[in-house]
Coordinates of all heavy atoms in Angstrom, one line a residue:
M188 N -8.4 15.6 -6.1 CA -7.0 15.8 -6.0 C -6.2 15.8 -7.3 O -5.3 16.5 -7.5 CB -6.4 14.7 -5.0 CG -6.7 15.0 -3.6 SD -5.9 13.8 -2.5 CE -7.4 12.9 -2.2
R189 N -6.8 15.0 -8.2 CA -6.2 15.0 -9.6 C -6.4 16.3 -10.2 O -5.5 16.9 -10.9 CB -6.7 13.9 -10.4 CG -6.2 12.5 -10.0 CD -6.6 11.4 -10.9 NE -6.1 10.1 -10.5 CZ -6.8 9.2 -10.0 NH1 -8.1 9.3 -9.8 NH2 -6.2 8.1 -9.6
R190 N -7.6 16.9 -10.0 CA -7.9 18.2 -10.5 C -7.0 19.3 -9.9 O -6.5 20.2 -10.6 CB -9.4 18.6 -10.3 CG -9.8 19.9 -10.8 CD -9.7 20.0 -12.3 NE -10.0 21.4 -12.7 CZ -9.3 22.2 -13.4 NH1 -8.1 21.7 -13.9 NH2 -9.6 23.4 -13.7
A191 N -6.7 19.1 -8.6 CA -5.8 20.1 -8.0 C -4.4 20.0 -8.6 O -3.7 21.0 -8.8 CB -5.7 19.8 -6.5
R192 N -4.0 18.8 -8.9 CA -2.7 18.6 -9.6 C -2.7 19.3 -10.9 O -1.7 19.9 -11.3 CB -2.3 17.2 -9.7 CG -1.8 16.5 -8.4 CD -1.2 15.2 -8.7 NE 0.1 15.4 -9.3 CZ 0.8 14.4 -9.9 NH1 0.3 13.3 -10.1 NH2 2.0 14.7 -10.4
E193 N -3.8 19.2 -11.6 CA -3.9 19.9 -12.9 C -3.7 21.4 -12.8 O -3.1 22.1 -13.5 CB -5.2 19.6 -13.6 CG -5.3 18.1 -14.1 CD -6.7 17.8 -14.6 OE1 -7.5 18.7 -14.9 OE2 -7.0 16.6 -14.8
V194 N -4.4 21.9 -11.7 CA -4.3 23.4 -11.5 C -2.9 23.8 -11.1 O -2.4 24.8 -11.6 CB -5.3 23.8 -10.3 CG1 -5.1 25.2 -9.9 CG2 -6.7 23.6 -10.8
V195 N -2.2 23.0 -10.3 CA -0.8 23.3 -9.9 C 0.0 23.2 -11.2 O 0.9 24.1 -11.4 CB -0.3 22.3 -8.9 CG1 1.2 22.4 -8.7 CG2 -1.1 22.5 -7.6
G196 N -0.2 22.2 -12.0 CA 0.6 22.1 -13.3 C 0.4 23.3 -14.2 O 1.3 23.9 -14.8
G197 N -0.9 23.8 -14.3 CA -1.1 25.0 -15.1 C -0.5 26.2 -14.5 O 0.0 27.1 -15.2
A198 N -0.5 26.3 -13.2 CA 0.2 27.5 -12.5 C 1.7 27.4 -12.8 O 2.3 28.4 -13.1 CB -0.1 27.5 -11.0
Q199 N 2.3 26.2 -12.7 CA 3.7 26.1 -13.0 C 4.0 26.5 -14.4 O 5.0 27.2 -14.6 CB 4.2 24.6 -12.8 CG 4.3 24.2 -11.4 CD 4.7 22.8 -11.2 OE1 3.9 21.9 -11.6 NE2 5.8 22.5 -10.6
E200 N 3.2 26.1 -15.4 CA 3.4 26.5 -16.8 C 3.3 28.0 -17.0 O 4.0 28.6 -17.8 CB 2.5 25.8 -17.7 CG 2.8 24.3 -17.8 CD 1.7 23.5 -18.6 OE1 0.9 24.1 -19.2 OE2 1.8 22.3 -18.6
A201 N 2.4 28.6 -16.2 CA 2.1 30.0 -16.4 C 3.1 30.9 -15.7 O 3.3 32.1 -16.2 CB 0.7 30.4 -15.8
L202 N 3.8 30.4 -14.7 CA 4.8 31.2 -14.0 C 6.1 31.3 -14.8 O 6.5 30.3 -15.3 CB 5.1 30.6 -12.6 CG 4.1 30.9 -11.5 CD1 4.6 30.2 -10.2 CD2 4.0 32.4 -11.2
P203 N 6.7 32.5 -14.8 CA 8.0 32.6 -15.4 C 9.0 31.7 -14.7 O 8.9 31.5 -13.4 CB 8.4 34.1 -15.3 CG 7.1 34.8 -14.9 CD 6.2 33.7 -14.3
D204 N 10.0 31.2 -15.4 CA 11.0 30.3 -14.8 C 11.9 31.1 -13.8 O 12.4 30.4 -12.9 CB 11.9 29.7 -15.9 CG 11.2 28.7 -16.8 OD1 10.2 28.2 -16.3 OD2 11.6 28.5 -17.9
D205 N 11.9 32.4 -13.9 CA 12.8 33.1 -12.9 C 12.2 33.2 -11.5 O 12.8 33.7 -10.6 CB 13.2 34.5 -13.5 CG 12.0 35.4 -13.7 OD1 10.9 34.9 -13.9 OD2 12.2 36.6 -13.7
L206 N 10.9 32.8 -11.4 CA 10.3 32.8 -10.1 C 10.5 31.5 -9.4 O 9.6 30.6 -9.2 CB 8.8 33.1 -10.2 CG 8.4 34.5 -10.6 CD1 6.9 34.6 -10.8 CD2 8.9 35.5 -9.6
V207 N 11.8 31.2 -9.1 CA 12.3 29.9 -8.7 C 11.6 29.5 -7.4 O 11.2 28.3 -7.3 CB 13.8 30.0 -8.5 CG1 14.3 28.6 -8.0 CG2 14.5 30.3 -9.8
G208 N 11.5 30.4 -6.4 CA 10.8 30.0 -5.2 C 9.4 29.5 -5.4 O 9.0 28.5 -4.8
A209 N 8.7 30.3 -6.2 CA 7.3 29.9 -6.5 C 7.2 28.5 -7.2 O 6.4 27.7 -6.9 CB 6.6 31.0 -7.3
Q210 N 8.1 28.4 -8.1 CA 8.2 27.1 -8.9 C 8.5 25.9 -7.9 O 7.9 24.9 -8.1 CB 9.2 27.2 -10.0 CG 8.8 28.0 -11.2 CD 7.7 27.4 -12.1 OE1 7.2 26.3 -11.8 NE2 7.4 28.1 -13.1
E211 N 9.4 26.2 -7.0 CA 9.7 25.1 -6.1 C 8.6 24.8 -5.2 O 8.3 23.6 -4.9 CB 10.9 25.5 -5.2 CG 12.2 25.5 -6.0 CD 13.4 26.1 -5.2 OE1 13.2 26.7 -4.1 OE2 14.5 26.1 -5.7
R212 N 7.8 25.8 -4.7 CA 6.7 25.5 -3.8 C 5.6 24.8 -4.6 O 4.9 23.9 -4.1 CB 6.2 26.8 -3.3 CG 7.1 27.4 -2.2 CD 6.5 28.6 -1.5 NE 6.3 29.8 -2.3 CZ 7.2 30.7 -2.7 NH1 8.4 30.6 -2.3 NH2 6.8 31.7 -3.5
L213 N 5.4 25.2 -5.9 CA 4.4 24.5 -6.7 C 4.8 23.0 -6.9 O 4.0 22.1 -6.9 CB 4.1 25.2 -8.0 CG 3.3 26.5 -7.8 CD1 3.3 27.3 -9.2 CD2 1.9 26.2 -7.4
A214 N 6.1 22.8 -7.1 CA 6.6 21.4 -7.4 C 6.4 20.6 -6.1 O 6.0 19.4 -6.2 CB 8.1 21.5 -7.7
E215 N 6.6 21.2 -4.9 CA 6.4 20.5 -3.7 C 4.9 20.2 -3.5 O 4.5 19.1 -3.0 CB 6.9 21.3 -2.5 CG 6.8 20.6 -1.2 CD 7.4 21.4 0.0 OE1 8.1 22.5 -0.3 OE2 7.2 21.0 1.1
L216 N 4.0 21.2 -3.8 CA 2.6 21.0 -3.7 C 2.1 19.8 -4.7 O 1.3 19.0 -4.3 CB 1.8 22.3 -4.0 CG 0.3 22.3 -3.8 CD1 0.0 21.9 -2.4 CD2 -0.2 23.6 -4.2
D217 N 2.7 19.8 -5.9 CA 2.4 18.7 -6.8 C 2.8 17.4 -6.2 O 2.0 16.4 -6.3 CB 3.1 19.0 -8.1 CG 2.7 17.9 -9.2 OD1 1.5 17.8 -9.5 OD2 3.7 17.2 -9.6
A218 N 4.0 17.3 -5.7 CA 4.4 16.1 -5.1 C 3.6 15.6 -3.9 O 3.3 14.4 -3.7 CB 5.9 16.2 -4.6
F219 N 3.1 16.6 -3.1 CA 2.2 16.3 -2.0 C 0.9 15.7 -2.5 O 0.4 14.7 -2.0 CB 1.9 17.6 -1.2 CG 0.9 17.4 -0.2 CD1 1.2 16.8 1.0 CD2 -0.4 18.0 -0.3 CE1 0.2 16.6 2.0 CE2 -1.4 17.8 0.7 CZ -1.0 17.2 1.9
Y220 N 0.3 16.3 -3.5 CA -1.0 15.8 -4.1 C -0.7 14.4 -4.7 O -1.6 13.5 -4.6 CB -1.6 16.7 -5.2 CG -2.3 17.8 -4.6 CD1 -2.0 19.2 -4.8 CD2 -3.4 17.6 -3.7 CE1 -2.7 20.2 -4.3 CE2 -4.1 18.7 -3.2 CZ -3.7 20.0 -3.4 OH -4.4 21.0 -2.9
E221 N 0.4 14.2 -5.3 CA 0.7 12.9 -5.9 C 0.8 11.8 -4.8 O 0.3 10.7 -4.9 CB 2.1 12.9 -6.7 CG 2.4 11.6 -7.3 CD 3.8 11.7 -8.0 OE1 4.6 12.6 -7.8 OE2 4.0 10.8 -8.9
A222 N 1.5 12.2 -3.7 CA 1.6 11.3 -2.5 C 0.2 11.0 -1.9 O -0.1 9.8 -1.6 CB 2.5 11.8 -1.5
L223 N -0.7 12.0 -1.8 CA -2.0 11.8 -1.3 C -2.8 10.8 -2.2 O -3.5 9.9 -1.7 CB -2.8 13.1 -1.2 CG -2.5 13.9 0.0 CD1 -3.3 15.2 -0.1 CD2 -2.9 13.2 1.3
I224 N -2.7 11.0 -3.5 CA -3.4 10.2 -4.5 C -2.9 8.7 -4.3 O -3.7 7.8 -4.2 CB -3.3 10.7 -5.9 CG1 -4.0 12.0 -6.1 CG2 -3.7 9.6 -6.9 CD1 -3.6 12.7 -7.4
E225 N -1.6 8.5 -4.3 CA -1.1 7.2 -4.1 C -1.5 6.6 -2.8 O -1.9 5.4 -2.7 CB 0.4 7.2 -4.2 CG 1.0 7.5 -5.5 CD 2.5 7.8 -5.6 OE1 3.1 7.7 -4.5 OE2 3.0 8.1 -6.7
S226 N -1.6 7.4 -1.7 CA -2.0 6.9 -0.4 C -3.5 6.4 -0.5 O -3.8 5.4 0.1 CB -1.8 7.9 0.6 OG -0.5 8.2 0.8
F227 N -4.3 7.2 -1.1 CA -5.7 6.9 -1.2 C -5.9 5.6 -2.0 O -6.8 4.8 -1.7 CB -6.6 8.0 -1.8 CG -7.0 9.0 -0.7 CD1 -6.5 10.3 -0.8 CD2 -7.8 8.7 0.3 CE1 -6.9 11.2 0.2 CE2 -8.2 9.6 1.3 CZ -7.7 10.9 1.2
V228 N -5.2 5.5 -3.1 CA -5.3 4.2 -3.9 C -4.9 3.0 -3.0 O -5.6 2.0 -3.1 CB -4.4 4.3 -5.1 CG1 -4.2 3.0 -5.8 CG2 -4.9 5.4 -6.1
T229 N -3.9 3.1 -2.3 CA -3.5 2.0 -1.4 C -4.5 1.7 -0.3 O -4.9 0.6 -0.1 CB -2.1 2.4 -0.7 OG1 -1.1 2.6 -1.7 CG2 -1.7 1.3 0.2
V230 N -5.1 2.8 0.3 CA -6.1 2.6 1.3 C -7.4 1.9 0.7 O -7.9 1.0 1.2 CB -6.5 3.9 1.9 CG1 -7.8 3.8 2.7 CG2 -5.4 4.4 2.8
I231 N -7.7 2.4 -0.5 CA -8.9 1.8 -1.2 C -8.7 0.3 -1.5 O -9.5 -0.5 -1.3 CB -9.3 2.6 -2.4 CG1 -9.9 4.0 -2.0 CG2 -10.3 1.8 -3.3 CD1 -9.9 5.0 -3.1
E232 N -7.5 0.0 -2.0 CA -7.1 -1.4 -2.3 C -7.2 -2.3 -1.1 O -7.7 -3.4 -1.1 CB -5.8 -1.5 -3.0 CG -5.8 -0.9 -4.4 CD -4.4 -0.8 -5.0 OE1 -3.4 -1.0 -4.2 OE2 -4.3 -0.5 -6.2
E233 N -6.6 -1.8 0.0 CA -6.6 -2.5 1.3 C -8.0 -2.7 1.8 O -8.4 -3.7 2.3 CB -5.7 -1.8 2.3 CG -4.2 -1.9 2.0 CD -3.7 -3.3 1.9 OE1 -4.1 -4.2 2.7 OE2 -3.0 -3.6 0.9
W234 N -8.8 -1.6 1.7 CA -10.2 -1.7 2.2 C -11.0 -2.7 1.3 O -11.8 -3.5 1.9 CB -10.9 -0.4 2.1 CG -12.4 -0.5 2.4 CD1 -13.4 -0.2 1.5 CD2 -13.0 -0.9 3.6 NE1 -14.6 -0.4 2.2 CE2 -14.4 -0.9 3.4 CE3 -12.5 -1.3 4.8 CZ2 -15.3 -1.3 4.4 CZ3 -13.3 -1.7 5.8 CH2 -14.7 -1.7 5.6
D235 N -10.8 -2.7 0.0 CA -11.5 -3.7 -0.8 C -11.1 -5.1 -0.4 O -12.0 -6.0 -0.4 CB -11.1 -3.5 -2.3 CG -11.8 -2.3 -2.9 OD1 -12.8 -1.8 -2.3 OD2 -11.4 -1.8 -4.0
K236 N -9.9 -5.4 -0.1 CA -9.5 -6.7 0.4 C -10.1 -7.1 1.7 O -10.7 -8.2 1.9 CB -7.9 -6.8 0.5 CG -7.1 -6.8 -0.7 CD -5.7 -6.8 -0.4 CE -4.8 -6.4 -1.6 NZ -3.4 -6.3 -1.2
K237 N -10.1 -6.1 2.6 CA -10.7 -6.4 3.9 C -12.2 -6.6 3.8 O -12.8 -7.5 4.4 CB -10.4 -5.2 4.9 CG -11.0 -5.5 6.2 CD -10.4 -4.4 7.2 CE -11.0 -4.7 8.6 NZ -10.1 -5.6 9.4
R238 N -12.8 -5.8 3.0 CA -14.3 -5.9 2.8 C -14.6 -7.2 2.2 O -15.6 -7.9 2.6 CB -14.7 -4.7 1.9 CG -16.2 -4.5 1.9 CD -16.5 -3.2 1.3 NE -17.6 -3.5 0.3 CZ -17.8 -2.8 -0.8 NH1 -17.1 -1.8 -1.0 NH2 -18.8 -3.1 -1.6
A239 N -13.8 -7.7 1.2 CA -14.1 -9.0 0.6 C -14.0 -10.1 1.6 O -14.7 -11.1 1.5 CB -13.1 -9.2 -0.6
S240 N -13.0 -10.0 2.5 CA -12.8 -11.1 3.5 C -13.9 -11.0 4.5 O -14.2 -12.0 5.1 CB -11.5 -10.9 4.2 OG -11.4 -9.8 5.0
L241 N -14.6 -9.9 4.7 CA -15.7 -9.8 5.7 C -17.0 -10.2 5.1 O -17.9 -10.6 5.8 CB -15.8 -8.3 6.2 CG -14.7 -7.8 7.0 CD1 -14.9 -6.3 7.3 CD2 -14.5 -8.5 8.3
A242 N -17.1 -10.2 3.8 CA -18.4 -10.5 3.1 C -18.9 -11.9 3.5 O -20.1 -12.0 3.9 CB -18.3 -10.4 1.6
P243 N -18.1 -12.9 3.5 CA -18.7 -14.2 3.9 C -19.1 -14.2 5.4 O -20.1 -14.9 5.7 CB -17.5 -15.2 3.7 CG -16.6 -14.5 2.8 CD -16.8 -13.0 3.0
Q244 N -18.4 -13.5 6.2 CA -18.8 -13.5 7.7 C -20.2 -12.8 7.8 O -21.0 -13.2 8.6 CB -17.8 -12.7 8.5 CG -16.4 -13.4 8.5 CD -15.4 -12.5 9.1 OE1 -15.7 -11.5 9.7 NE2 -14.1 -12.9 9.0
R245 N -20.4 -11.7 7.0 CA -21.7 -11.0 7.1 C -22.8 -11.9 6.7 O -23.9 -11.9 7.3 CB -21.6 -9.8 6.3 CG -21.0 -8.6 7.0 CD -21.0 -7.4 6.1 NE -19.9 -7.5 5.2 CZ -19.7 -6.7 4.2 NH1 -20.5 -5.8 3.8 NH2 -18.6 -6.9 3.4
R246 N -22.6 -12.7 5.6 CA -23.6 -13.6 5.1 C -23.9 -14.7 6.2 O -25.1 -15.1 6.4 CB -23.2 -14.3 3.8 CG -23.5 -13.3 2.7 CD -23.2 -14.0 1.4 NE -21.9 -13.3 1.0 CZ -20.9 -13.8 0.3 NH1 -21.0 -15.0 -0.2 NH2 -19.8 -13.2 0.1
E247 N -22.9 -15.3 6.8 CA -23.1 -16.3 7.8 C -23.8 -15.8 9.0 O -24.7 -16.5 9.6 CB -21.7 -16.9 8.2 CG -21.1 -17.7 7.1 CD -19.6 -18.0 7.4 OE1 -19.2 -17.8 8.6 OE2 -18.9 -18.6 6.6
G248 N -23.5 -14.6 9.4 CA -24.1 -14.0 10.6 C -25.4 -13.4 10.4 O -26.2 -13.0 11.3
A249 N -25.8 -13.2 9.1 CA -27.1 -12.5 8.8 C -28.3 -13.5 9.1 O -28.2 -14.7 8.9 CB -27.1 -12.1 7.4
T250 N -29.3 -12.9 9.6 CA -30.5 -13.7 9.9 C -31.4 -13.5 8.7 O -31.5 -12.5 8.0 CB -31.2 -13.2 11.1 OG1 -31.5 -11.8 11.0 CG2 -30.4 -13.3 12.4
Q251 N -32.1 -14.6 8.4 CA -33.0 -14.6 7.2 C -34.4 -14.2 7.7 O -34.8 -14.6 8.8 CB -33.1 -16.1 6.7 CG -31.8 -16.5 6.1 CD -31.4 -15.7 4.8 OE1 -32.2 -15.3 4.1 NE2 -30.1 -15.5 4.7
P252 N -35.0 -13.4 6.9 CA -36.4 -13.0 7.3 C -37.3 -14.2 7.4 O -37.2 -15.2 6.6 CB -36.8 -12.0 6.2 CG -35.8 -12.1 5.1 CD -34.6 -12.9 5.7
A253 N -38.2 -14.2 8.3 CA -39.2 -15.3 8.5 C -40.2 -15.4 7.5 O -40.6 -14.4 6.9 CB -39.8 -15.3 9.9

């Protein structure tokens, strides 16, 4: 997604400023990718917390090989 944002940024730079509609759509696409990246960061952080809290439970419930 970060690479996609780079591509969008390159397209914005390459387009003439008078193509306002295209510039606006690219700006919206860039904002969309930014929101996705932020969302994934949040999901990963929350998952890491949940996973850490589950780790002791997994160890307690695990059976030891005989």
Side-chain angles (χ1 to χ4, degrees):
M188 282 183 259
R189 287 186 178 110
R190 177 68 184 124
R192 281 192 78 200
E193 290 174 14
V194 170
V195 169
Q199 284 176 300
E200 290 174 10
L202 278 179
D204 291 336
D205 62 336
L206 292 176
V207 177
Q210 288 287 0
E211 288 173 352
R212 288 188 298 277
L213 286 170
E215 185 176 348
L216 187 57
D217 181 62
F219 174 74
Y220 280 122
E221 181 180 19
L223 277 178
I224 291 166
E225 290 171 2
S226 294
F227 276 115
V228 168
T229 300
V230 167
I231 290 166
E232 288 170 351
E233 291 300 316
W234 172 245
D235 285 343
K236 288 178 196 174
K237 182 168 183 91
R238 197 168 128 205
S240 72
L241 294 174
Q244 295 172 10
R245 279 184 274 168
R246 277 181 258 152
E247 291 169 6
T250 58
Q251 296 294 325

